[in-house]
């Protein structure tokens, strides 16, 4: 693959819960190209979210190499991982995870605040994105006044406001009805095709997985190519 | 942006925010009230001492300037000595007797004392019989006494013959001879008040008195020296008491904020996880919680000042004869510092806990 954005080899992650060791990843190898839209499927508990958390710098691997946009994530301190996360990664979750006390717009601006781009006007490109997402007129509402589909679209805007190198979507349609799912998925495909946004998406639904260029399957902490 | 999150979070938990701020407010009021009372009562004593109209106060050996009682000075020294001194135009002896709590009754020769202090009657007039008393307007108001009523102290019923303007040395004035008799202090007084023909002569007269054989050990004060001794430092135990109140209020503020912030952190595990996913560092999380705490402390501080005005007004209208309170502006910054210190201390441990919290634990489990 030419100029990959993610290169993972021999990745292992063991959670320690008290005295018990829970192996979540048992040697994962994966390469993702720049501009690729990758779907990750697999049963519950197979380690998909753990893989995303490591790639996104929310937790550190137990062993193995993870290179994201040229940076090795394996041996970073907490602070370095935080800094990397700010610039390179956007997250979307199944449960939207908007901050409940802030309006949609403030949720977006909060992500911008941590990237250090506080106060600078939003780019023309980002305003186009808000139009694409169809949420411009909903930005001054708090999350509880928004439908699930609207909340997820706000979460997409928030994930992309810092122009991250990769977008990690962990079951983004898991809580949505078919119509809203389709809308979110076509938006992701649009983002990928028009802006060349690299996307990794976890899903249970084969139809959703089909939106990606390529699908990999996780089972018991290992990856298999379809 | 962070400030907006802080304010929205506090507004979101409105009741808890208000209760925590109110607790901090009570803590602030407690300190302000104790200091305000101490200072108010000392100022009232000062005003009354000034109101006596004397230039010089003379106390016998071993008497504290601000003591409530004691009578160790022979009354005949007035006739035999003080009134004969150069420049002294009037001399009045008083006998001060505690009558429970911090209240006292003052025995005087009415004519001497009235001439010196310029007593003004609001109602009634001077005492005539043995068990007559004159009370001041505050005492009359607080105890709802009028001329002709009876007041009881020292196991004796006294008839009120007059109500005087407040601020003339004493709240209750009784005939000196009666008070000497029923307290077994016949012929004795607590202090002598001297009035000079010209106040400017005060230092010279004091020097002369201090050099008089036989007055060794006597305390001789100008009125300004005398009132300057009514200070928080000179009341035994008062400073320690104020420190205890400050200490208690720090502990209370600390515990209240600890509990509030600890609950908040537990409740907001998910929110903290989201913030971390958005790129917040542990320091950012601590920063957010400390700012919330700071707002609580400042709102509490303002509420506490408001409450202290209410406490002040209540004290000065309901019990103005026995307690006096003033607003102590110079303590506002001090109590602000105390409230902020106690609150930040209380937020430290919950804050660090939140900062260390694993982001993915909060996000992974729904
Ligand atoms: N924070 C954690 N602490 C301990 N065990 C965890 C934690 N997160 C996930 N696990 C465990 O790791 C395994 C993989 O979980 P996860 O990555 O969430 O799988 P998936 O997303 O595919 O459902 C599971 O057995 C899960 O119980
Ligand atoms: Mg998962």
């Amino acid at each position: 693959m030419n100029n990959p954005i993610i290169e993972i080899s021999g990745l292992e992650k063991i959670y320690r819960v008290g005295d018990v060791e829970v192996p979540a990843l048992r040697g994962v190898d994966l390469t993702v190209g720049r501009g690729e839209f990758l779907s990750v499927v697999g049963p519950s508990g197979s380690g998909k979210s753990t893989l995303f958390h490591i790639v996104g710098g929310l937790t550190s691997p137990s062993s193995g190499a993870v290179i994201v946009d040229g940076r090795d994530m394996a041996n970073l301190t907490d602070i370095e991982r935080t800094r990397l996360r700010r610039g390179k990664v956007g997250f979307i979750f199944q449960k939207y995870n908007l901050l409940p006390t802030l309006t949609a717009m403030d949720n977006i601006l909060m992500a911008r605040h941590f990237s250090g781009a506080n106060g600078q006007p939003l780019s023309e490109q980002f305003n186009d994105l808000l139009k694409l997402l169809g949420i411009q007129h909903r930005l001054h509402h708090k999350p509880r006044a928004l439908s699930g589909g609207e909340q997820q679209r706000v979460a997409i805007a928030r994930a992309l406001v810092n122009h991250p190198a990769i977008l990690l979507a962990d079951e983004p349609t898991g809580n949505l009805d078919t119509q809203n799912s389709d809308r979110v998925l076509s938006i992701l495909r649009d983002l990928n095709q028009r802006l060349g946004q690299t996307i990794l998406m976890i899903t249970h639904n084969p139809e959703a997985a089909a939106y990606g260029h390529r699908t990999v399957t996780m089972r018991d902490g290992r990856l298999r190519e379809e | 942006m962070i400030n907006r999150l802080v304010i929205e979070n506090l507004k979101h938990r409105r009741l808890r925010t208000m209760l925590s701020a109110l607790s901090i407010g009570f803590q602030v009021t407690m300190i302000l009230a104790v200091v305000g009372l101490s200072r108010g009562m000392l100022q009232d004593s000062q005003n009354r001492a000034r109101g006596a109209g004397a230039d010089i106060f003379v106390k016998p050996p071993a008497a504290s300037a601000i003591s409530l009682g004691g009578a160790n000075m022979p009354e005949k020294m007035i006739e035999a000595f003080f009134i004969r001194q150069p420049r002294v135009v009037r001399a009045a002896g008083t006998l001060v007797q505690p009558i429970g709590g911090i209240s006292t009754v003052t025995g005087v020769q009415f004519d001497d004392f009235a001439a010196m202090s310029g007593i003004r009657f609001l109602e009634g007039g001077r005492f005539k019989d043995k068990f007559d008393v004159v009370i001041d307007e505050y005492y009359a108001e607080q105890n709802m006494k009028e001329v002709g009523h009876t007041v009881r102290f020292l196991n004796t019923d006294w008839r009120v013959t007059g109500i005087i303007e407040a601020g003339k040395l004493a709240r209750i004035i009784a005939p000196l001879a009666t008070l000497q008799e029923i307290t077994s202090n016949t012929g004795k007084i607590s202090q002598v008040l001297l009035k000079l023909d010209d106040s400017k002569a005060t230092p010279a007269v004091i020097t002369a008195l201090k050099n008089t054989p036989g007055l060794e050990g006597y305390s001789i004060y100008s009125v300004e020296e005398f009132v300057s001794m009514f200070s928080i430092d000179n009341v035994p135990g008062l400073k320690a008491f104020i420190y205890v109140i400050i200490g208690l209020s720090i502990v209370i503020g600390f515990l209240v904020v600890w509990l509030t912030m600890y609950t908040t952190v537990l409740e907001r595990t998910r929110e903290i996880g989201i913030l971390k996913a958005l790129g917040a560092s542990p320091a950012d999380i601590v920063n957010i919680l400390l700012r919330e705490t700071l707002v609580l402390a400042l709102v509490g501080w303002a509420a506490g000042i408001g409450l202290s005005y209410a406490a002040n007004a209540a004290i000065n209208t309901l019990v103005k004869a026995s307690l006096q309170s003033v607003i102590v502006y110079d303590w506002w910054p001090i109590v602000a510092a105390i409230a902020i210190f106690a609150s930040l201390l209380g937020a430290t441990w919950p804050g660090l806990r939140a900062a260390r919290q694993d982001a993915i634990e909060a996000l992974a489990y729904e």
Side-chain angles (χ1 to χ4, degrees):
Chain A
M1 200 172 294
N2 227 349
N3 190 16
I5 197 160
I6 301 173
E7 290 178 278
I8 298 169
S9 55
L11 176 62
E12 295 187 5
K13 175 71 180 180
I14 299 166
Y15 288 111
R16 275 190 189 77
V17 184
D19 294 338
V20 186
E21 297 199 338
V22 183
L25 299 176
R26 309 162 188 254
V28 170
D29 303 302
L30 176 68
T31 305
V32 182
R34 225 168 264 275
E36 195 173 355
F37 186 165
L38 178 78
S39 299
V40 181
V41 298
S44 246
S46 58
K48 307 180 296 294
S49 295
T50 301
L51 174 66
F52 273 34
H53 292 149
I54 293 174
V55 171
L58 281 174
T59 188
S60 54
S62 303
S63 66
V66 180
I67 296 166
V68 175
D69 203 16
R71 287 292 304 265
D72 191 346
M73 309 285 291
N75 305 311
L76 298 184
T77 64
D78 271 3
I79 312 259
E80 288 168 326
R81 272 197 279 116
T82 300
R83 208 170 291 144
L84 198 97
R85 193 155 72 229
R86 286 175 178 168
K88 295 207 190 305
V89 187
F91 281 101
I92 309 172
F93 304 92
Q94 177 176 357
K95 283 236 171 143
Y96 327 130
N97 280 340
L98 298 178
L99 294 165
T101 56
L102 294 183
T103 62
M105 191 62 190
D106 285 343
N107 262 278
I108 294 169
L109 292 178
M110 190 54 90
R112 208 166 150 73
H113 168 83
F114 289 119
S115 79
N118 219 8
Q120 293 166 33
L122 295 171
S123 67
E124 198 55 34
Q125 195 188 353
F126 188 75
N127 284 322
D128 289 346
L129 172 67
L130 292 178
K131 267 180 225 140
L132 172 71
L133 292 169
I135 49 170
Q136 317 95 298
H137 58 292
R138 307 294 284 158
L139 289 175
H140 296 287
H141 290 81
K142 298 220 170 140
R144 74 182 123 75
L146 302 175
S147 73
E150 284 171 332
Q151 289 190 54
Q152 194 60 299
R153 282 177 276 142
V154 171
I156 294 174
R158 184 180 68 177
L160 293 176
V161 70
N162 295 322
H163 306 293
I166 51 175
L167 178 62
L168 299 172
D170 190 344
E171 302 193 39
T173 59
N175 272 1
L176 300 179
D177 58 28
T178 324
Q179 202 185 340
N180 275 301
S181 292
D182 289 346
R183 179 142 189 211
V184 164
L185 289 166
S186 14
I187 287 167
L188 291 180
R189 185 171 54 197
D190 259 21
L191 288 168
N192 174 258
Q193 287 176 354
R194 284 210 239 157
L195 306 174
Q197 178 69 52
T198 308
I199 301 175
L200 281 71
M201 177 177 73
I202 295 172
T203 180
H204 276 312
N205 181 343
E207 278 172 47
Y211 278 78
H213 301 139
R214 180 163 70 110
T215 302
V216 293
T217 307
M218 181 81 91
R219 183 161 278 123
D220 289 333
R222 291 192 184 84
L223 267 188
R224 245 180 337 104
E225 200 95 14
E226 293 287 283
Chain B
M1 207 53 234
I2 293 291
N3 288 339
R4 194 166 316 162
L5 179 67
V6 164
I7 297 301
E8 290 301 331
N9 279 341
L10 288 170
K11 270 164 59 186
H12 188 70
R13 299 170 278 125
R14 194 161 302 157
L15 185 63
R16 194 186 313 160
T17 300
M18 269 165 31
L19 289 178
S20 315
L22 207 60
S23 311
I24 297 172
F26 279 122
Q27 167 203 357
V28 163
T29 308
M30 197 157 81
I31 299 176
L32 291 178
V34 167
V35 178
L37 268 175
S38 308
R39 206 176 278 173
M41 298 190 60
L42 289 165
Q43 275 178 15
D44 179 70
S45 301
Q46 289 179 334
N47 289 341
R48 283 189 283 122
R50 284 203 184 91
D55 293 306
I56 296 174
F57 286 73
V58 182
K59 292 224 168 201
S64 146
I66 56 174
S67 65
L68 292 178
N72 298 311
M73 217 169 149
E75 186 183 359
K76 60 181 190 312
M77 279 175 80
I78 297 174
E79 284 300 308
F81 175 73
F82 286 110
I83 196 66
R84 294 163 193 264
Q85 297 310 300
R87 318 223 53 171
V88 172
V89 292
R90 292 185 207 288
T94 70
L95 171 60
V96 182
Q97 185 65 34
I99 55 169
I102 49 169
S103 304
T104 57
V105 56
T106 302
V108 298
Q109 296 271 20
F110 192 84
D111 293 325
D112 293 347
F113 183 68
M116 183 178 286
S117 62
I119 278 177
R120 216 165 61 78
F121 278 98
L122 300 171
E123 265 180 74
R126 54 164 301 166
F127 35 72
K128 301 176 192 80
D129 294 335
K130 196 172 170 188
F131 291 104
D132 286 352
V133 286
V134 166
I135 59 178
D136 84 347
E137 51 183 320
Y138 290 172
Y139 185 89
E141 197 176 311
Q142 182 180 326
N143 298 287
M144 290 181 281
K145 295 294 179 190
E146 288 169 21
V147 171
H149 284 183
T150 301
V151 295
R152 187 172 172 81
F153 54 85
L154 298 174
N155 290 320
T156 309
D157 285 324
W158 307 73
R159 194 173 62 94
V160 176
T161 60
I163 296 173
I164 58 169
E165 211 176 25
K168 299 295 182 192
L169 190 68
R171 292 213 186 285
I172 310 176
I173 299 173
L176 180 60
T178 316
L179 205 58
Q180 285 171 331
E181 186 187 319
I182 65 172
T183 62
S184 313
N185 278 312
T186 308
K188 292 199 181 135
I189 51 177
S190 310
Q191 61 186 357
V192 171
L193 283 58
L194 303 179
K195 172 113 187 124
L196 309 183
D197 56 359
D198 182 355
S199 302
K200 291 203 193 73
T202 304
V205 175
I206 288 177
T207 311
L209 288 174
K210 281 187 174 161
N211 292 329
T212 306
L215 283 187
E216 297 93 353
Y218 275 69
S219 305
I220 303 164
Y221 309 106
S222 71
V223 63
E224 283 315 313
E225 283 166 351
F226 187 70
V227 300
S228 73
M229 279 177 294
F230 291 94
S231 78
I232 287 176
D233 293 325
N234 282 348
V235 182
L238 183 54
K239 227 175 179 173
F241 178 67
I242 292 174
Y243 287 147
V244 167
I245 295 293
I246 291 175
L248 274 179
S249 72
I250 289 178
V251 171
I252 293 170
F254 167 79
L255 291 177
V256 164
V257 171
W258 182 325
L259 189 64
T260 309
M261 282 298 147
Y262 185 63
T263 323
T264 300
V265 165
L266 288 187
E267 230 174 45
R268 277 155 62 190
T269 309
R270 180 174 203 84
E271 183 195 311
I272 291 163
I274 298 171
L275 288 168
K276 287 187 174 172
L278 293 183
S281 63
D284 290 324
I285 303 292
V286 172
N287 180 10
I288 290 168
L289 291 172
L290 290 187
R291 282 191 206 202
E292 284 190 27
T293 308
L294 197 64
V295 174
L296 282 184
L298 290 177
V299 171
W301 174 66
I305 287 176
L307 284 171
S308 79
Y309 272 95
N312 210 54
I315 288 169
N316 290 340
T317 46
L318 299 180
V319 287
K320 62 174 151 188
S322 29
L323 298 175
Q324 298 81 35
S325 173
V326 291
I327 296 294
V328 283
Y329 304 96
D330 55 328
W331 271 71
W332 288 4
I334 301 175
V335 288
I338 291 171
I340 291 170
F341 170 73
S343 307
L344 291 186
L345 207 63
T348 303
W349 192 81
L352 291 178
R353 193 196 145 103
R356 277 200 309 264
Q357 211 163 61
D358 193 349
I360 57 170
E361 247 172 90
L363 295 171
Y365 295 106
E366 312 284 306

